Amino acid sequence: MSTPETTAAPTASPIPRAAAIALGDDALVLSHRLGEWAGHAPVLEEEVALANIALDLLGQARVLLSLAGDEDELAYLREERAFRNLQLVEQPNGDFAHTIVRQLYFSTYQHLLYAELAAGGGPFAPLAAKAVKEVAYHRDHAEQWTLRLGDGTEESHARMLRACEALWRFTGELFQPVEGVEVDGKRMETAWLASVGEILRRATLSVPEGPRSGAWAAGAGRQGLHTESFGRMLAEMQHLHRSHPGASW
Amino acid sequence: MATAAAQQTASTQAYGAQGAIGDTTAYQSVFDAAVAADERIEPRDWMPDAYRATLVRQIAQHAHSEIIGMQPEANWITRAPSLRRKAILMAKVQDEAGHGLYLYSAAETLGTGRDELLDKLHSGRQKYSSIFNYPTLTWADVGAIGWLVDGAAITNQVPLCRCSYGPYARAMVRICKEESFHQRQGYELLLALSKGTPEQHAMAQDAVDRWWWPSLMMFGPPDDESAHSAQSMAWKIKRHSNDELRQRFVDICVPQAESLGLTLPDPDLRWNEERGHHDFGPIDWTEFREVLKGNGPCNEQRITQRRKAHDEGAWVREAAAAHAAKHIGETGATRA
């Protein structure tokens, strides 16, 4: 975690626990979804690439959750309603197009977020300074595949359009304020729309026109409200740990 | 191989003396001399067709084993019981994909591409290690695979770092380093279980009971029944016999099992002072042959999943190729 930029000025600010959990849950859940690809990727190089991204995210999750408490207790012993991740990251993998679009939407957001956090010098600055470099690769990977698949064959183009549309309504949530995360959400949103829009256009894909959030006034993932598939994901993830209370692994 | 000069000499002899292409005697003698002198054969060197075919078969089977071998372990990624274990397991399965890449590349240096080899795997014309036709039923199986299966693989593979074919030998150096890391991680996983709760200990013992005999079968049939061994030994593709390696593995595992606090499921296992080795009980070769024939617990499942992943990924590979073709020559064009 220590980098030349951060070791010079160690921060004394207290860690905002809710924020560490929200950002940690994003990384944990998306890492888990990417881990589901192992052995199923369309080409061997992508087995390596998707696992790499999953491992980076898991590393981020472990740092963030450890700032908030015991990483395993937080990952394995919370109920679905206590998770604070974005609904976007819990969306099932779908086909490779869905996985790539989910990654494009999320990595673009995470890159903007970590760049701001790294520059801001707050309690997350050391983590963000390291993570922003990893995330730059994730975003690049998603961008390159968006270009290939969008401007590839008729079939890949159609699959990408469907994925872009289907996941679009989970993108409004990315810019909702998170307690303890000191960033300018409005400015990030503008930058996100510009960046994603430009990539989609270069990929010959149209920017979806539908709403960017659900109509449910109660909110979404940051309020602990998730989509149905998330419960099954957690059931699988937590089952073994919960079957042996108190055991060490 | 030997040197450019030696190659040159061979060419002169082969073409010059006879004035015709097709006399391989001189090439053969240079090849034989290089193998005898423990020099490496390189991709551009002349080599007997049978040597090339043997290597392609062996490297392909090894590559296929790496990618099929991802399945039984990936089976536990989403259920790993701690985040630390999850990171270790994900990294391990990723390493296996990486090994597959090195090995398919090594095969490519012999003129056989990855697509062709995958096609042979999917159609059942090439095999992968039978060990992966056993299921991973509990978390402890992840540890048992690391300790025993990777341990057996290392025992088999370390001598391949000195294999006569250069690209394969060099790939094996890197693979063996990573495998040895995996083996220690597996051992450490089992140790944690063995010293854990009674349920965890029982889980570890059960896994070792199930994986021990299949691991011994990984060294292949007994020497007197091994179809390819003699020629491979002569070519220095293979350095030790199946039975020698199997014995070495047993001797390594016995004290490790004791340190783990686990027993190996063989009532005949005991130290033989006279031989300086452990004696062990008879291996059930009927089971080995059945699994090899396709009747193992997971043969069908493994190959079906592999084909499914490949077929479902076809549109992705086609799109990447189409994109590359459209944008060929563009600066900064995306690479497929």
Side-chain angles (χ1 to χ4, degrees), chain B residues 163-235:
Chain B
C163 160
S164 58
Y165 187 59
Y168 189 30
R170 289 187 289 273
M172 290 317 301
V173 171
R174 187 156 169 187
I175 289 173
C176 284
K177 282 183 191 165
E178 293 180 351
E179 290 292 352
S180 124
F181 199 59
H182 299 164
Q183 195 259 353
R184 279 177 281 167
Q185 287 170 331
Y187 180 89
E188 194 257 337
L189 189 163
L190 283 179
L191 189 63
L193 294 179
S194 181
K195 295 191 180 317
T197 65
E199 291 78 14
Q200 286 177 308
H201 181 89
M203 192 193 282
Q205 184 61 59
D206 167 61
V208 169
D209 289 348
R210 282 181 287 110
W211 288 94
W212 173 248
W213 290 107
S215 300
L216 293 191
M217 295 176 196
M218 284 176 68
F219 296 92
D223 293 347
D224 48 9
E225 293 169 29
S226 178
H228 305 289
S229 283
Q231 180 61 70
S232 287
M233 299 264 284
W235 276 331

Side-chain angles (χ1 to χ4, degrees), chain B residues 251-271:
Chain B
D251 290 340
I252 290 170
C253 287
V254 171
Q256 291 182 349
E258 275 168 28
S259 315
L260 279 171
L262 298 171
T263 55
L264 296 171
D266 179 358
D268 297 330
L269 192 63
R270 62 180 57 85
W271 177 250

